[in-house]
Amino acid sequence: NSKTGAQKRPLLYFDVGSISSNSMIINATLWLWVKGGQSKSFDFSVHALNSTYDELNANWTNYNTVGQWNVPGGDYSTTSYGKGQITNAVGWHGCEIGPLIDAWVKGTVQNRGLIFVAVSTGSSTEKQVVSSDDILNQTQRPTLRVNYTLEIYPGDLESRAIGPGTNATFTSVNWSGSARSLATDEFN
């Protein structure tokens, strides 16, 4: 809204259901395209939402057309899953939220979306970002980039002890509890 001093808390939802629950999240970066802004930088923290919301009808008091947030501004976890800063510089601004994505994927936190919460309030720090419904700037919509590996079977890689300047010979490679390989791989 256009009220002076009014707080805004952007809400975003990303479906991470295609990432296997036995994956190891290495990192996850949330990217927002900033079109411009006023005054100072905007310092924020990212929190998991405790309630689902309707993207077209959510506002400061309601999460959809009839349901009200328990707390005005949104129902969210007190745990901060990432912190960042958005300046007035036009372009991509990123925030690491790997712990939140890991919690969603593992099922320890239900994925209802996320919310940006200002770390401090005061003078106008309003920023204009490209939203998910922006038709003209589709390549600049919010983006989540997740880097992960699959942990299908636990495994270990063991090499002989090596000294300075010598090559390693792997003597044991084990990728499952039922099969053991004695393959060697020498680096020359």
Side-chain angles (χ1 to χ4, degrees), residues 39-95:
S39 193
K40 299 189 298 184
S41 298
F42 173 67
D43 295 314
F44 63 89
S45 59
V46 176
H47 300 262
L49 283 168
N50 294 334
S51 302
T52 57
Y53 68 96
D54 177 356
E55 182 178 3
L56 298 177
N57 296 301
N59 58 40
W60 191 259
T61 54
N62 297 339
Y63 57 84
N64 61 24
T65 55
V66 293
Q68 291 188 336
W69 299 109
N70 292 319
V71 177
D75 303 331
Y76 58 90
S77 166
T78 57
T79 302
S80 172
Y81 289 97
K83 294 182 185 229
Q85 182 180 75
I86 296 178
T87 66
N88 294 333
V90 173
W92 290 107
H93 292 254
C95 174

Side-chain angles (χ1 to χ4, degrees), residues 111-182:
N111 182 1
R112 296 181 178 112
L114 59 86
I115 186 170
F116 289 78
V117 178
V119 172
S120 62
T121 57
S123 65
S124 178
T125 58
E126 185 172 323
K127 305 295 177 244
Q128 296 174 351
V129 298
V130 175
S131 68
S132 61
D133 60 352
D134 193 319
I135 295 171
L136 299 176
N137 301 298
Q138 293 182 18
T139 61
Q140 297 170 345
R141 290 178 177 171
T143 302
L144 177 63
R145 175 157 294 173
V146 181
N147 182 9
Y148 66 95
T149 60
L150 293 175
E151 293 183 18
I152 297 172
Y153 298 105
D156 58 45
L157 184 60
E158 182 180 324
S159 73
R160 282 188 252 159
I162 60 173
T166 60
N167 295 323
T169 300
F170 290 95
T171 57
S172 174
V173 179
N174 181 11
W175 294 109
S176 75
S178 62
R180 185 171 176 95
S181 170
L182 296 177

Side-chain angles (χ1 to χ4, degrees), residues 7-29:
Q7 290 187 46
K8 297 178 184 179
R9 293 184 177 158
L11 308 173
L12 290 173
Y13 177 85
F14 292 95
D15 183 356
V16 296
S18 63
I19 301 174
S20 173
S21 64
N22 65 349
S23 297
M24 183 173 73
I25 304 299
I26 296 168
N27 58 43
T29 307

